[in-house]
Amino acid sequence: MTATGAVLARPSVSGGGARLLPQVVLAVICGGYAAGAVLGWGSPELAVVMGDFGLSAAALAAAASCLWYGRRHSGRMRPAWLLFAASSAMAALGNGVWGWYEVVLGRTVPTPSAADFCFLLFAPPAIVGMLVLAKRPVTRAGWICLALDAWLIAGSLVTLSWSLALAHTGQTGADGGSVARRALSLAYPLLDIVLVSMVIVLHFRRASGNRSTINTAIAAFALTVLCDALFTSPMLREHYRSGQILDAGWFAGSLLLAYAPWVARREAAEAPPPVRRTAQPTRPIAGSLGALAPYLAAAVCTLGILFNVMDGRPIDGVVLFTACAVVLALVVRQAIMLLDNITLTQELAQKENHFRSLVQSSSDVIMIAAPTGILRYVSPAASGVYGRDADELVGSELASLIHPEDLGSVVHEVRRFLAASPGEEPTTRIECRFRSGSGDWLNVESTINRHHGGLIFNSRDVTERVRLQAQLQHNAEHDPLTDLPNRALFTKRVRHAVAGRRRTDAGTAVLFIDLDGFKAVNDTVGHQAGDELLVQAARRLQESVRSGSGDCAARLGGDEFAALIVGDGDGAAGDRECRILEIADRLRARLSQPYKVEAGTEVRVAASIGVAFAEPGISPGALMRNADLAMYRAKAGGKNRVELYAPQMQAEVARRAEVATRLRAALHDGEFVLLHQPVVELASGRITAVAAQARWRSAQGILFTPAEFLRVADNGRGGGDEAARAAELARWMLEAAVEQAAQRRRDGHSVPVCVRLPAGRLVDKSMPPKSVETLLALHGLPSGSLILELTDSGPRMALEELEHRLGALRRLGVRIALDGFGSGYAAIRSLRRLPIDVLKLDPGLVEGVLESSRLHKITSGLLRIAGDLGMQSIAEGVDLPEQLVTLRGMGCTHAQGMAFSGPLDEHRLRRALARGAYPVPRSDAPLLVGGALAVRHGGHGGLHGPRRTESHTHPPTRSNTETPVPPT
């Protein structure tokens, strides 16, 4: 039995064979016992042993199995298994006592005996355990109905059994049997009847969980009761011997009860995760038993009475009493059922009214459609949502109300939903357009549920939401000012054009457009006028692209626009290129026409256009980058022009990026050095100042000018990293120049130093306040020894802040020079507003002063303006002696350039300062001089010390080859 229990206790594993193994073992054991009983076990002695102690062992196994499971598992069913263990223990003890008499003592079991006492105690725990397994009623009426159901079954069985056999058993025999023996003969069948009643009740009222376990326990007790009933029959009891086939039934019943807990364990292991459900109150009368029990009980009682009448016996008092009790229970039961039905009807009507109110008051439309698609029910909300009466919609086909373009997707989704499992997908959702009463199409969102083979549609009008989503989508992909596609949508369309291009679509091009001079319109006329200009430009651009051909115009931001021209594949590559360039040039001319903006003001802007063609395999990002490069090349080439992308443009960008990276590292690693070019007074040839210039020492030790970097550093318009590098270079130049000038002054060379500094640096918020004053004090350099050459004083510069800052510096003795004078409007504007001491002529004015009479007059006029304002002037880039003579005749006071010396390193500079002067060529021709310049500051004349009016005799001018110039 231990091995058998181990096999039954083996946990189930995946696979049908593993799950069937315990049942197969159980069937083999029971079949073997039955075969042994049929064959007589080979000997009478072995038959008695197996009939007594075999049954005791089987019942003991059931008791141990139920007790072990009940102690290890908690829950509502735990008391039932403990009671079943006690019931099986009584059966095991009774069979053991029976075997003691027959096997050990070798005599017949007396009646009554201790075995009868144990067998009688088998039924009560089993009956109570059955009640525990049954589904518990939730109301008092439910408990009453449960008791009545049990009595109806028990009473009908008592009536039938008494009529058939129990009446004869209960009568006093001829031998005058004892009362105890007659009571015992009645107790066995009565307890079996009660147990059968509980088995039947449990069958109809078993709990929803662990059904296999409960069914196994029911089968075990049903088999036991059946064997008890057969044993009670006088015919079988007279010929009963231990070890016969009747014992096989008891043996199988005990093993089934032993196996029942392991069915529960296997179900717990294989059960899916529990689904949380809302608890529903259980009705007092439910299930098939509630409907059939009264009539079945009445039929059984009638059958018992008829049997007595047909047998010719008078109506037995027990039968009459039991029948009356059954009828009374039936009346009470029917009364309770009637009251329950009345309550149920009232609740049903109340719930129906409640749900009808919900459906009729709901703003959503509820429709029930048959499997054929015909609408069976439509809620009254349809009149408010769809503008159609519910009665009008009932009976119509749902497909006739859905937009034809949406019908296919709706049918596909409905079919997929109906094919899916209801447990996995209880609902689905669709969106479609629904025809309203006015004939318009409404956007409708519907939740679909299954309903008796049909479908329930819970629909709501979402037209406003769909419109809002469409508007938000439009706003996210279009420019709010011009309503043109923005960069995101334009990139998407370029991607579609490039990815979907066929071989016949060759010639697709992207145009990047920038409006030249737009910032000036904002500054002069105002931002409102600038917005009007952008709107008109967008309209012109939109009118210039082909509609319906896939072409697209967009605004990328600011004054930058773009256009996508989809190729048609006609003609050769050269013809397509000429056609696109012709379109771009017409667009340039169209955008360059005058615009009438606020208050009728007419303004003009130009257009720089870059064109890039979509080559095979190019990505949208690369195509747009190529067009952007071509546009910047058009702006750099003079603006108001069309430029076609060429591969060398990308190479140039890469080269500039590489140079910028190298220069960034050079600036960080201290590879820049400072050279100085002498500034010479033309009247005397004296070195009155030195101009600091930065040079980059390469890895080979050669000094050269990083033209691209210095250009960014000079104008400060590079933006981003370039602007940061320009600011860092300007800071380094100022610090290095002041430090070296202080060292030269300590060595006896008191010559001012000119440092080129972007004007924006002086008003930059990131620059520490009074940084120039702090630097001069740190190195002990007098403020009169520093000349700041301002660059980049453009029209957008905040002149008020700059004027205040320059005034504070001049009060300390720092002199201010305006660099690049004569190169544009910004110089005149700065000259009018800022406190300037020195004007530096732009090298472009000096270069052609000998060849061009027009340029000669312009330069002469600018120098006369400087003289009239009492300012000193420096001509930059003077390389020829003839230029010196001409400029001095025009009134220029100072000059720097290769005519005297190039930029010098510190050693050669000190040698030049020790010499003190350069020879200045003389001319016998009358000179156009502007007269002696007045001294601006007390104690300071010219660029260095007081001006001397006496004449000097200069030696002949040396050639450029004699001037010490370091490699540049």
Side-chain angles (χ1 to χ4, degrees):
M1 292 304 299
T2 304
T4 304
V7 172
L8 295 178
R10 182 176 302 166
S12 61
V13 295
S14 60
R19 289 194 294 267
L20 290 176
L21 181 60
Q23 290 91 326
V24 172
V25 173
L26 181 65
V28 168
I29 295 175
C30 294
Y33 190 95
V38 171
L39 299 177
W41 296 103
S43 66
E45 293 79 8
L46 181 59
V48 173
V49 172
M50 294 302 298
D52 294 338
F53 291 110
L55 292 181
S56 179
L60 187 62
S65 176
C66 294
L67 179 63
W68 184 87
Y69 185 82
R71 289 178 59 86
R72 292 181 61 88
H73 296 80
S74 59
R76 190 180 68 85
M77 294 186 180
R78 179 182 182 183
W81 296 113
L82 295 178
L83 290 170
F84 292 159
S87 177
S88 299
M90 290 295 101
L93 184 59
N95 284 307
V97 173
W98 198 286
W100 174 265
Y101 279 103
E102 288 189 340
V103 177
V104 178
L105 299 181
R107 60 188 180 90
T108 305
V109 181
T111 302
S113 67
D116 295 322
F117 177 77
C118 294
F119 289 145
L120 289 177
L121 292 181
F122 165 80
I127 294 171
V128 178
M130 288 290 182
L131 288 174
V132 174
L133 287 182
K135 188 192 309 183
R136 295 182 180 180
V138 295
T139 62
R140 183 179 300 175
W143 285 105
I144 297 175
C145 289
L146 178 61
L148 291 176
D149 290 340
W151 167 244
L152 287 172
I153 297 173
S156 61
L157 292 178
V158 167
T159 302
L160 184 61
S161 299
W162 188 272
S163 299
L164 294 177
L166 294 182
H168 301 285
T169 303
Q171 292 176 358
T172 304
D175 56 353
S178 65
V179 177
R181 180 174 297 182
R182 291 198 306 273
L184 186 63
S185 62
L186 292 176
Y188 277 119
L190 291 177
L191 286 175
D192 287 338
I193 289 174
V194 176
L195 188 57
V196 167
S197 303
M198 295 312 306
V199 167
I200 296 176
V201 171
L202 180 61
H203 173 71
F204 290 104
R205 288 182 170 269
R206 61 180 181 270
S208 58
N210 297 326
R211 289 184 177 271
S212 299
T213 304
I214 298 175
N215 290 336
T216 305
I218 290 175
F221 286 110
L223 186 57
T224 302
V225 170
L226 177 61
C227 294
D228 287 345
L230 294 175
F231 178 75
T232 305
S233 173
M235 183 181 301
L236 291 180
R237 186 167 186 176
E238 291 177 359
H239 303 284
Y240 171 77
R241 298 292 183 272
S242 295
Q244 293 180 349
I245 189 64
L246 191 60
D247 291 347
W250 282 316
F251 182 85
S254 297
L255 288 188
L256 279 177
L257 188 59
Y259 175 64
W262 308 105
V263 177
R265 182 178 180 184
R266 188 184 65 190
E267 283 186 344
E270 296 178 355
V275 179
R276 186 177 182 88
R277 298 178 180 175
T278 305
Q280 299 291 341
T282 304
R283 298 299 307 164
I285 301 176
S288 303
L289 182 62
L292 299 178
Y295 309 103
L296 186 61
V300 170
C301 289
T302 303
L303 182 62
I305 296 174
L306 289 177
F307 183 81
N308 280 337
V309 172
M310 294 175 63
D311 197 26
R313 290 178 295 172
I315 301 300
D316 193 278
V318 175
V319 174
L320 184 61
F321 175 79
T322 306
C324 293
V326 169
V327 172
L328 180 61
L330 177 60
V331 172
V332 175
R333 182 75 163 75
Q334 290 300 100
I336 294 177
M337 179 179 292
L338 179 61
L339 294 176
D340 183 76
N341 287 336
I342 294 174
T343 304
L344 181 62
T345 303
Q346 293 176 351
E347 291 181 1
L348 183 61
Q350 183 180 0
K351 289 182 178 181
E352 184 178 355
N353 293 332
H354 175 70
F355 284 108
R356 181 181 293 108
S357 300
L358 290 178
V359 170
Q360 294 180 352
S361 303
S362 174
S363 59
D364 295 348
V365 180
I366 300 176
M367 301 182 297
I368 300 178
T372 58
I374 303 299
L375 294 178
R376 294 177 176 175
Y377 171 80
V378 179
S379 66
S383 59
V385 176
Y386 298 149
R388 308 178 68 172
D389 292 337
D391 296 337
E392 178 186 352
L393 292 175
V394 173
S396 60
E397 292 187 2
L398 184 62
S400 63
L401 304 174
I402 300 176
H403 196 282
E405 296 179 0
D406 301 337
L407 183 59
S409 60
V410 171
V411 171
H412 174 75
E413 176 62 22
V414 170
R415 289 177 177 175
R416 186 203 61 79
F417 172 66
L418 292 177
S421 172
E424 296 178 356
E425 190 174 4
T427 62
T428 188
R429 188 178 63 87
I430 61 172
E431 287 190 14
C432 62
R433 284 168 288 181
F434 200 89
R435 187 188 300 275
S436 65
S438 60
D440 298 330
W441 294 103
L442 303 176
N443 294 94
V444 175
E445 179 185 70
S446 301
T447 302
I448 304 178
N449 296 271
R450 297 175 178 85
H451 175 70
H452 300 302
L455 295 174
I456 297 179
F457 291 82
N458 194 337
S459 307
R460 63 196 62 87
D461 183 10
V462 293
T463 304
E464 292 301 324
R465 189 194 71 185
V466 172
R467 290 177 181 173
L468 179 59
Q469 289 177 346
Q471 183 63 39
L472 293 176
Q473 182 71 18
H474 180 85
N475 295 342
E477 295 182 341
H478 289 76
D479 175 59
L481 178 63
T482 62
D483 203 39
L484 289 179
N486 57 14
R487 183 182 294 271
L489 181 56
F490 183 75
T491 303
K492 184 187 301 183
R493 294 186 177 178
V494 171
R495 182 182 298 109
H496 176 73
V498 172
R501 253 185 339 117
R502 304 182 300 271
R503 291 185 177 181
T504 57
D505 294 336
T508 297
V510 171
L511 281 64
F512 267 45
I513 307 158
D514 186 83
L515 300 182
D516 304 322
F518 175 74
K519 290 182 176 60
V521 175
N522 273 341
D523 294 337
T524 56
V525 188
H527 289 275
Q528 181 64 32
D531 291 344
E532 294 181 13
L533 188 150
L534 291 176
V535 172
Q536 295 182 32
R539 188 180 304 115
R540 294 181 185 181
L541 179 61
Q542 186 69 33
E543 294 171 353
S544 300
V545 299
R546 299 171 297 178
S547 59
S549 61
D551 294 356
C552 171
R555 182 191 177 200
L556 304 183
D559 58 346
E560 290 188 3
F561 294 86
L564 170 65
I565 308 296
V566 179
D568 51 11
D570 296 336
D575 297 337
R576 293 194 298 267
E577 180 176 322
C578 292
R579 182 178 64 86
I580 295 297
L581 291 178
E582 182 181 354
I583 294 175
D585 193 64
R586 288 202 306 266
L587 182 58
R588 179 198 59 79
R590 182 85 171 90
L591 294 175
S592 300
Q593 294 177 0
Y595 296 85
K596 285 190 176 181
V597 293
E598 191 176 26
T601 305
E602 185 176 283
V603 295
R604 288 178 178 267
V605 293
S608 297
I609 303 178
V611 181
F613 284 92
E615 302 296 336
I618 193 172
S619 64
L623 179 59
M624 296 175 64
R625 179 201 61 202
N626 294 343
D628 197 21
L629 291 176
M631 182 196 70
Y632 278 103
R633 173 60 65 89
K635 293 178 70 68
K639 301 181 179 180
N640 195 22
R641 55 182 296 177
V642 177
E643 191 74 30
L644 181 63
Y645 170 77
Q648 56 266 27
M649 294 182 184
Q650 181 62 29
E652 181 181 351
V653 171
R655 183 183 62 82
R656 292 189 62 181
E658 180 182 0
V659 171
T661 302
R662 293 175 57 193
L663 290 173
R664 187 186 303 111
L667 188 61
H668 181 269
D669 297 338
E671 296 181 3
F672 276 88
V673 297
L674 203 61
L675 302 182
H676 295 81
Q677 189 174 27
V679 178
V680 180
E681 185 182 27
L682 297 184
S684 62
R686 289 186 310 108
I687 301 175
T688 58
V690 291
Q693 298 180 8
R695 292 294 185 269
W696 177 31
R697 187 186 303 276
S698 67
Q700 294 76 19
I702 301 175
L703 295 176
F704 64 92
T705 303
E708 294 181 357
F709 182 80
L710 290 182
R711 181 167 62 251
V712 174
D714 286 343
N715 56 38
R717 295 173 186 170
D721 293 341
E722 294 181 346
R725 291 196 300 273
E728 188 175 356
L729 178 62
R731 177 190 57 79
W732 174 83
M733 283 184 60
L734 181 61
E735 293 178 357
V738 171
E739 181 181 1
Q740 294 181 18
Q743 184 62 40
R744 287 193 298 270
R745 184 176 183 84
R746 288 191 292 268
D747 295 339
H749 302 289
S750 302
V751 57
V753 60
C754 301
V755 181
R756 182 171 295 173
L757 187 68
R761 286 291 296 166
L762 291 175
V763 294
D764 191 357
K765 301 300 182 182
S766 62
M767 188 175 181
K770 298 186 178 181
S771 56
V772 177
E773 296 87 336
T774 303
L775 188 61
L776 294 175
L778 177 64
H779 295 284
L781 185 68
S783 57
S785 300
L786 177 62
I787 301 175
L788 294 180
E789 298 179 0
L790 299 183
T791 63
D792 189 33
S793 56
R796 300 180 64 86
M797 180 65 63
L799 291 184
E800 292 78 7
E801 297 182 20
L802 183 58
E803 183 179 6
H804 176 75
R805 177 66 175 140
L806 293 180
L809 292 174
R810 288 184 76 242
R811 285 192 293 271
L812 292 177
V814 177
R815 282 173 287 174
I816 309 300
L818 183 60
D819 187 54
F821 183 69
S823 61
Y825 166 80
I828 300 299
R829 180 171 176 266
S830 301
L831 184 63
R832 181 172 59 89
R833 295 288 303 272
L834 303 179
I836 304 300
D837 300 309
V838 181
L839 297 180
K840 294 193 70 173
L841 291 181
D842 187 76
L845 299 176
V846 177
E847 182 178 359
V849 71
L850 297 178
E851 294 82 6
S852 173
S853 59
R854 185 182 184 88
L855 190 59
H856 186 282
K857 294 178 181 179
I858 293 175
T859 304
S860 177
L862 294 178
L863 290 174
R864 187 176 297 111
I865 292 175
D868 293 342
L869 294 177
M871 299 179 183
Q872 296 173 347
S873 56
I874 300 176
E876 189 176 4
V878 181
D879 298 334
L880 301 176
E882 293 80 3
Q883 294 174 341
L884 287 176
V885 175
T886 303
L887 290 171
R888 186 176 61 183
M890 293 179 180
C892 184
T893 59
H894 298 77
Q896 69 180 81
M898 297 301 294
F900 299 110
S901 172
L904 304 175
D905 58 16
E906 190 65 23
H907 174 70
R908 292 174 179 170
L909 177 62
R910 288 175 181 266
R911 287 174 52 188
L913 292 178
R915 189 166 56 247
Y918 287 99
V920 179
R922 296 290 180 177
S923 174
D924 296 334
L927 301 179
L928 299 176
V929 297
L933 297 181
V935 178
R936 292 291 308 273
H937 304 288
H940 297 281
L943 289 179
H944 181 63
R947 287 184 58 103
R948 291 177 292 181
T949 56
E950 65 272 12
S951 61
H952 296 273
T953 303
H954 301 278
T957 304
R958 294 181 298 174
S959 65
N960 287 339
T961 57
E962 298 174 356
T963 304
V965 179
T968 60

